[in-house]
Amino acid sequence: MLPGGLLVLGVFIITTLEMGNDFQNALRRLVFAMEKSMNKKRLWNFTEEEVSERVTLHICSSTKKIFCRTYDIHDPKSSAKPADWKYQNGLSASWLSLECTVHINIHIPLSATSVSYTLEKNTKNGLARWAKQIENGVYLINGQVKDEDCDLLEGQKKSSRGNAQATNHSFDVKVLTQLLLNSDHRSTATVQICSGSVNLKGAVKCRAYVHSNKPKVKDAVQAVKRDILNTIADRCEILFEDLLMNEIPEKKDSEKEFHILPHRVFVPIPGSTVMLCDYKFGDESAEEIRDHFIEMLDHMIQIEDLEIAEEINTACLSSSMNTEASLDSTDDEQPKQPIKTTVLLKIQHNIGVVAAFAVAVLAAGVSFHYFSD
């Protein structure tokens, strides 16, 4: 639900003062379990400069008094440290948004040699390789490359108080990834026996937030990177869970299976410029998504508040090995108006085996020719 730049900082509980001590051990275990669960699917790592402490809040139901404690998640044996909990006015409205569209074309081979490798594990390994390209990419903010230590609001119009006017300000971000390796970089080809492959294609709508109190360019780029990686990993996880729950018999005459990944839906937080997100499949109605948000946020949401970031494009299903479906191309029969594309998951069976066999035969032929000479 959290876009880039936002993190879960802890947990809270509301009880009477007498029962508070009984829940401290449970809150501690919950903090570490929560962090462990979220860390499993992350495609990025925390930096050394980031705070590693997480918070537990005990709110007394009668006196409304708040007891705050912190734990260091990097230390499993960490003990509770008392901390002060203070409120700040206008904090929720002081956020800058960054938006970008990332076009992806990720090919992930599914290993046939490791029986223990599930579809989810194979996909995560493939996404980890793609994540390095995102981490090493060049990020243009409003069409400019800026030094990472520069102020994000540098050059913005100043208010009467001397601060940059950043209310409801949005930045457009473009991501450039490297296509060619450096000349001094050496690589080796790897032959892998595969049972199939997964192709992720389409355009991903990403959104991140940074606080407007002297934000740095590196903070903004980091938030965008994490949102890109999070949304792809989340969509794959949701789709695979749906496929397992609604498993259908495999068609023997089908060489390819096409599935539409869930697309993103944003909803505003009352009194804030920040928006939370969720995902929906094409057969889910707006009412169902609204009810899901109401259940999670415990706040009334109107259907018109929902912002669907991506439209589902037409997907072509094919059983032919020579036919490719492209999300970016349009047929003559389709309307010529702009259509936002979503991410397409394409599972191609047995291609990896054919490729591995061809490489093996080529290697054998070269070796025979070499030794005969």
Side-chain angles (χ1 to χ4, degrees):
M1 288 191 66
L2 298 180
L6 303 181
L7 295 172
V8 177
L9 294 181
V11 296
F12 72 92
I13 188 171
I14 303 176
T15 66
T16 60
L17 184 62
E18 295 77 15
M19 297 180 61
N21 294 330
D22 299 336
F23 287 95
Q24 290 306 312
N25 288 332
L27 288 176
R28 182 186 184 279
R29 292 195 299 268
L30 184 58
V31 166
F32 282 93
M34 173 190 67
E35 192 64 30
K36 182 179 180 181
S37 175
M38 292 188 297
N39 193 47
K40 282 184 178 180
K41 61 178 182 180
R42 282 193 186 123
L43 297 174
W44 49 269
N45 298 316
F46 286 104
T47 62
E48 296 180 355
E49 295 81 12
E50 293 183 86
V51 177
S52 61
E53 293 181 330
R54 295 296 179 264
V55 178
T56 62
L57 292 180
H58 171 221
I59 304 175
C60 180
S61 57
S62 56
T63 64
K64 308 304 180 188
K65 188 175 181 180
I66 297 179
F67 301 91
C68 180
R69 296 177 176 85
T70 63
Y71 296 91
D72 187 355
I73 57 174
H74 291 168
D75 182 10
K77 298 181 180 179
S78 173
S79 58
K81 297 180 181 180
D84 294 330
W85 182 264
K86 297 181 180 180
Y87 294 98
Q88 296 183 13
N89 295 328
L91 181 64
S92 59
S94 304
W95 292 86
L96 308 173
S97 66
L98 303 107
E99 301 183 8
C100 74
T101 300
V102 179
H103 296 270
I104 65 170
N105 186 2
I106 311 171
H107 178 78
I108 304 173
L110 302 179
S111 175
T113 56
S114 301
V115 181
S116 61
Y117 273 31
T118 61
L119 178 61
E120 181 180 3
K121 188 173 182 179
N122 270 298
T123 304
K124 185 176 181 180
N125 291 339
L127 290 179
R129 294 188 291 270
W130 164 76
K132 294 180 180 179
Q133 297 180 4
I134 299 299
E135 291 286 354
N136 298 328
V138 177
Y139 289 76
L140 306 179
I141 300 179
N142 288 343
Q144 297 179 344
V145 178
K146 297 185 178 182
D147 186 83
E148 62 177 14
D149 293 323
C150 287
D151 188 351
L152 181 64
L153 298 175
E154 184 179 10
Q156 299 292 325
K157 184 179 179 181
K158 301 290 184 178
S159 65
S160 58
R161 297 183 179 181
N163 298 324
Q165 294 179 351
T167 304
N168 297 328
H169 196 95
S170 177
F171 294 87
D172 178 67
V173 181
K174 296 186 182 300
V175 184
L176 306 179
T177 56
Q178 295 182 356
L179 297 179
L180 299 177
L181 297 175
N182 297 330
S183 57
D184 57 347
H185 182 85
R186 299 184 62 185
S187 62
T188 56
T190 302
V191 178
Q192 182 179 5
I193 301 177
C194 301
S195 59
S197 65
V198 174
N199 281 357
L200 302 175
K201 288 186 177 182
V204 180
K205 299 292 182 178
C206 302
R207 184 175 299 177
Y209 295 91
V210 292
H211 197 263
S212 60
N213 184 20
K214 299 180 180 179
K216 297 292 184 181
V217 172
K218 63 180 179 181
D219 299 326
V221 171
Q222 181 189 80
V224 173
K225 287 180 180 180
R226 291 180 177 181
D227 189 69
I228 296 172
L229 300 179
N230 285 343
T231 187
I232 293 297
D234 289 342
R235 295 176 205 228
C236 290
E237 181 183 21
I238 294 172
L239 176 64
F240 296 156
E241 288 180 354
D242 183 73
L243 292 178
L244 291 176
M245 293 175 60
N246 304 290
E247 187 175 1
I248 59 176
E250 184 179 357
K251 296 180 181 180
K252 295 182 179 180
D253 58 342
S254 176
E255 295 294 346
K256 297 181 181 180
E257 295 179 9
F258 292 81
H259 302 278
I260 300 297
L261 284 174
H263 53 288
R264 213 167 188 183
V265 182
F266 290 95
V267 66
I269 301 177
S272 174
T273 57
V274 173
M275 302 185 77
L276 301 179
C277 72
D278 197 7
Y279 299 93
K280 70 179 290 292
F281 286 100
D283 57 351
E284 291 184 285
S285 64
E287 288 78 8
E288 291 178 292
I289 300 302
R290 178 200 59 189
D291 294 341
H292 190 207
F293 274 118
I294 293 176
E295 181 181 358
M296 290 189 294
L297 300 178
D298 193 23
H299 179 79
M300 183 55 62
I301 302 294
Q302 302 298 328
I303 293 181
E304 52 267 23
D305 294 333
L306 301 179
E307 178 184 331
I308 302 178
E310 294 155 329
E311 303 273 341
I312 293 184
N313 200 355
T314 303
C316 175
L317 288 83
S318 173
S319 60
S320 173
M321 294 294 291
N322 298 324
T323 303
E324 284 286 337
S326 175
L327 288 181
D328 297 326
S329 62
T330 56
D331 296 331
D332 294 337
E333 298 178 356
Q334 294 180 345
K336 296 184 179 181
Q337 60 184 9
I339 299 178
K340 298 180 181 179
T341 58
T342 186
V343 183
L344 176 67
L345 172 70
K346 178 176 61 177
I347 304 179
Q348 299 175 310
H349 294 288
N350 302 324
I351 294 181
V353 177
V354 176
F357 179 75
V359 173
V361 171
L362 179 62
V366 172
S367 300
F368 177 78
H369 177 73
Y370 174 79
F371 285 115
S372 61
D373 290 343

